[in-house]
Amino acid sequence: MARNKFDIDEDLESPFNIKHFRRAAVYIKKQKKPMLLAFALSALSAAIALSAPLIIQHVVDVTIPAKEVGALFGWAALLLLTIVVSVALATIRSRIMTNVGQEIIFDIRTDLFKHLQQLPFKYYDDRPQGKILIRVVNYVNSVSDVLSNGIINFILEIVNLLFIAAFMFAVDVRLSFVILGGLPVFLGFMLLIKTRQRRAWQAVSNKSSNMNAYLQESIAGIGVTQIFSRESRNEGIFTRLADNYRTEWMRALKYNALVPFTVDNLSTIVTAFIYLVGLLALSPQEVTFGVILAMSSYAARFWQPIQNLSNLYNNFINAVAYLERIFETLDEPVTVKDAPGAKPLPAVQGNVAFDDVTFGYDPGHTILQNVSFEAKAGESIALVGPTGAGKTTVVNLISRFYDVTGGRVLIDGHDISQVTLQSLRSQMGIMLQDSFIFSGTILDNIRYGRLDATEEEVVAAAKAVRADDFIREFEHGYMTEVNERGSKLSQGQRQLISFARTLLANPRILILDEATSSIDAKTERLLQQGLNELLKGRTSFIIAHRLSTVKNCDRIMYVSDKGIAESGSHDELLARRGLYHKLYTAQKMEA
């Protein structure tokens, strides 16, 4: 699909939907008690700090004119105490909110990972991995402070404004209105830029996602890049993506920078008007110098919460873009899931049937059309045919990695859409063409799907698939550490380890999708000896392009033209001289 590219921007939501913050409240409520404590400490700290201008006013207007030196030292000590206590309370509050922020990060990230584990293959088919990773890592980090400190600080700054306004009006009503005079100008400015500001940060989110997606893709494909000497070309692409990100970041930052610039200038103008009105328009009998000093201090303090609120608004705008992406991921439907009332699949014999099955990955494009067949328990079925005909699709439907769009898939007569996924897949062994190796030891990789397996059982499985010999050649044998995707192993070694992992699970139904494609002919012959024993009593579906590997299967099905074009044993199909005969003859001539 078109959106499965690193340079395709995701749709921007417009206008802003408050539902994102309502949903975020679920995570905030879990931290209600520490957040209330932090708010109480913050309010107490702010109230204590606001007493400082009153102390200064009293010292300037009363203590200094009266030349009370002892009292002056007392007031100075009290002023120092207010500062120390205020800072101490703010520090405690900061530590509490740091912990709250990390708890919120943990909860959101855990929910995201849990949901991603349940999403169907189609979700990952449609999106670059980098765009998924950035949501779990970067975006969650970006919103955590807004959802923790941001909420507390927003409420606190509103309370601060009310406290400061109360103190201002208590000192002088007329000068208080001078300070408030700049507020309508500021609010009008914020209304003017808010939509542009939000769109700018949404664009930053998109460009960051694109850059991260390409970076992840480039790292995963570094081998191919170097083989084809694409380094310079790829550097150019990354430079373009990074430049797009930088351009959008600077554009968004421009809007952010306008806010403190406006607040600073309004604060300066308002302070100038306080001195102008206080010293020139009002008489000294009406307004003392101590009052002017106190009011100028309150003016600075009044505009500081407004500056803080504007910064919180900037963070809020950023967080909106990221919350949209986070909740978009959490809202992604789990299309392949347990049906209501789904029951565990009993221990199966292995009868598999397709009953008039129709399926397509995308609407309007059918891969299989009205396909019906039955595989009996213990029967080995080979699926052959041209690339893209639907061989892997057949086994994906048996495993229920995708749900059929029509018809039914039955195992022992049970419709697999009506049984639990865990009970279905736990009785299946699936080895895909891409042999994925996890970081850890070889032992851990082999028993990945059966954690209770003993070391002896692991070794037995490895011996059966002829992996034991090369594993023991490593210095640490089965305890050898391998990297993610098994970069230190050959492709053939990775496939043999994956074979052992699949067989250790002791499945009743075995699916092998090009399982021996990267194994040399000699190893394949040895492997086949072990497999012949292991396949006994199990229903197996084997996809292979090399027909020599499947000619001994009980039945071979030629998949073509959205269905099963031919079905029979190797000898039967050769005798028909149809599609299978043509393919087999062509391979013999190539050999």
Side-chain angles (χ1 to χ4, degrees):
M1 294 179 68
R3 62 178 172 174
N4 191 12
K5 290 188 65 181
F6 60 81
D7 57 351
I8 299 297
D9 288 343
E10 298 171 274
D11 294 334
L12 301 180
E13 181 181 281
S14 180
F16 163 66
N17 197 327
I18 196 64
K19 73 177 182 181
H20 298 307
F21 276 90
R22 289 177 184 159
R23 291 181 64 179
V26 173
Y27 298 99
I28 297 169
K29 286 178 181 178
K30 293 181 181 180
Q31 306 300 321
K32 182 170 61 176
K33 289 183 179 179
M35 289 180 75
L36 287 174
L37 176 60
F39 175 74
L41 293 174
S42 297
L44 183 58
S45 173
I48 292 172
L50 285 172
S51 63
L54 293 179
I55 295 174
I56 294 172
Q57 178 195 349
H58 181 80
V59 168
V60 171
D61 287 345
V62 179
T63 307
I64 293 177
K67 298 181 179 180
E68 298 173 351
V69 177
L72 182 61
F73 280 105
W75 285 113
L78 182 59
L79 181 61
L80 178 62
L81 181 63
T82 61
I83 295 171
V84 170
V85 172
S86 178
V87 170
L89 293 175
T91 302
I92 296 171
R93 173 258 189 190
S94 178
R95 294 185 63 176
I96 292 172
M97 292 312 300
T98 298
N99 184 66
V100 167
Q102 288 302 311
E103 290 293 335
I104 290 175
I105 286 177
F106 174 81
D107 288 340
I108 296 177
R109 190 168 285 152
T110 300
D111 285 352
L112 269 173
F113 184 78
K114 180 180 178 181
H115 191 67
L116 287 169
Q117 294 285 291
Q118 298 172 343
L119 290 176
F121 279 14
K122 190 177 188 309
Y123 176 81
Y124 297 95
D125 293 342
D126 292 347
R127 290 164 183 80
Q129 293 179 13
K131 290 195 175 188
I132 299 172
L133 290 174
I134 197 172
R135 299 182 184 208
V136 181
V137 181
N138 298 42
Y139 291 175
V140 174
N141 285 342
S142 298
V143 303
S144 66
D145 193 57
V146 173
L147 297 182
S148 54
N149 274 311
I151 301 297
I152 292 292
N153 287 340
F154 180 81
I155 299 172
L156 180 63
E157 297 303 347
I158 296 294
V159 173
N160 276 345
L161 277 176
L162 295 176
F163 279 174
I164 292 167
F167 276 85
M168 286 192 316
F169 278 95
V171 174
D172 191 279
V173 174
R174 290 163 297 185
L175 293 181
S176 295
F177 280 112
V178 172
I179 295 173
L180 295 176
L183 200 54
V185 178
F186 175 75
L187 293 176
F189 168 76
M190 292 301 293
L191 288 172
L192 185 66
I193 70 166
K194 70 181 183 73
T195 300
R196 296 176 184 176
Q197 193 176 17
R198 187 175 73 86
R199 288 186 175 276
W201 281 108
Q202 285 177 320
V204 169
S205 168
N206 272 339
K207 301 309 178 185
S208 174
S209 179
N210 294 349
M211 183 175 65
N212 194 76
Y214 186 70
L215 179 62
Q216 192 279 333
E217 179 181 294
S218 299
I219 292 172
I222 190 64
V224 179
T225 295
Q226 294 181 353
I227 288 170
F228 289 96
S229 300
R230 279 266 307 193
E231 293 90 342
S232 297
R233 172 67 174 166
N234 289 4
E235 287 171 13
I237 295 173
F238 184 79
T239 299
R240 173 173 60 83
L241 294 172
D243 183 61
N244 290 342
Y245 173 73
R246 178 181 62 182
T247 300
E248 294 299 339
W249 176 271
M250 295 305 296
R251 187 168 74 91
L253 204 63
K254 177 186 71 176
Y255 288 111
N256 276 23
L258 284 173
V259 178
F261 173 80
T262 303
V263 171
D264 286 342
N265 280 281
L266 282 173
S267 177
T268 301
I269 293 170
V270 167
T271 302
F273 267 95
I274 288 173
Y275 282 97
L276 185 66
V277 173
L279 295 176
L280 300 180
L282 301 175
S283 66
Q285 290 77 21
E286 293 178 297
V287 181
T288 65
F289 187 62
V291 169
I292 293 175
L293 284 177
M295 292 302 292
S296 63
S297 177
Y298 280 127
R301 290 171 182 266
F302 179 81
W303 284 98
Q304 186 59 51
I306 293 178
Q307 166 105 0
N308 293 340
L309 285 170
S310 65
N311 291 335
L312 287 170
Y313 177 76
N314 289 338
N315 294 336
F316 170 86
I317 291 297
N318 303 354
V320 168
Y322 299 137
L323 280 173
E324 286 173 359
R325 301 292 178 259
I326 290 170
F327 288 125
E328 178 186 77
T329 303
L330 288 172
D331 287 340
E332 191 68 31
V334 181
T335 53
V336 179
K337 59 183 178 180
D338 291 343
K343 297 179 179 180
L345 179 66
V348 300
Q349 296 299 313
N351 293 291
V352 178
F354 271 42
D355 180 15
D356 200 31
V357 168
T358 297
F359 175 78
Y361 292 100
D362 299 312
H365 184 65
T366 304
I367 301 295
L368 300 176
Q369 183 74 46
N370 305 118
V371 175
S372 295
F373 69 82
E374 184 176 357
K376 296 180 180 178
E379 192 175 14
S380 58
I381 306 293
L383 299 171
V384 301
T387 300
K391 302 183 296 295
T392 299
T393 300
V394 170
V395 296
N396 280 341
L397 294 178
I398 296 171
S399 314
R400 209 184 159 206
F401 291 140
Y402 300 86
D403 274 332
V404 299
T405 51
R408 299 182 302 165
V409 177
L410 306 170
I411 293 181
D412 288 358
H414 299 278
D415 186 341
I416 65 171
S417 67
Q418 301 302 314
V419 302
T420 62
L421 286 170
Q422 192 279 332
S423 66
L424 169 67
R425 293 176 184 165
S426 65
Q427 300 189 65
M428 304 183 72
I430 305 166
M431 185 171 169
L432 303 176
Q433 188 172 358
D434 181 14
S435 305
F436 194 93
I437 301 297
F438 297 90
S439 58
T441 66
I442 293 176
L443 182 74
D444 291 336
N445 269 278
I446 293 177
R447 63 180 175 197
Y448 184 82
R450 188 182 159 198
L451 298 178
D452 60 344
T454 64
E455 189 169 342
E456 290 75 18
E457 290 173 320
V458 170
V459 172
K463 285 181 176 179
V465 301
R466 301 303 187 265
D468 181 70
D469 291 341
F470 85 80
I471 293 173
R472 293 191 183 278
E473 290 178 1
F474 291 116
E475 181 180 355
H476 300 292
Y478 285 85
M479 299 309 295
T480 300
E481 293 282 342
V482 291
N483 297 333
E484 178 188 351
R485 303 191 70 87
S487 59
K488 292 183 178 180
L489 301 170
S490 70
Q491 178 63 24
Q493 289 172 334
R494 291 199 291 271
Q495 282 198 310
L496 289 175
I497 289 174
S498 297
F499 239 125
R501 178 169 59 198
T502 301
L503 297 175
L504 181 64
N506 193 27
R508 299 303 307 161
I509 299 173
L510 190 61
I511 293 174
L512 307 178
D513 188 351
E514 288 293 337
T516 60
S517 61
S518 298
I519 299 173
D520 60 82
K522 180 182 177 181
T523 304
E524 186 177 4
R525 285 194 297 271
L526 293 172
L527 175 62
Q528 194 65 47
Q529 296 171 12
L531 283 179
N532 288 337
E533 288 297 319
L534 289 165
L535 291 178
K536 288 181 179 178
R538 293 184 174 87
T539 308
S540 58
F541 291 85
I542 304 169
I543 298 175
H545 284 99
R546 293 205 302 262
L547 300 186
S548 60
T549 63
V550 299
K551 63 182 183 180
N552 293 325
C553 288
D554 297 321
R555 192 166 11 137
I556 299 171
M557 296 194 300
Y558 191 100
V559 183
S560 179
D561 296 326
K562 301 182 181 181
I564 310 299
E566 293 181 351
S567 178
S569 68
H570 172 73
D571 293 335
E572 289 171 347
L573 293 178
L574 286 181
R576 292 181 191 176
R577 305 185 68 82
L579 294 171
Y580 180 78
H581 177 271
K582 183 178 179 180
L583 181 63
Y584 185 75
T585 303
Q587 285 196 8
K588 284 192 69 176
M589 292 179 63
E590 290 174 1

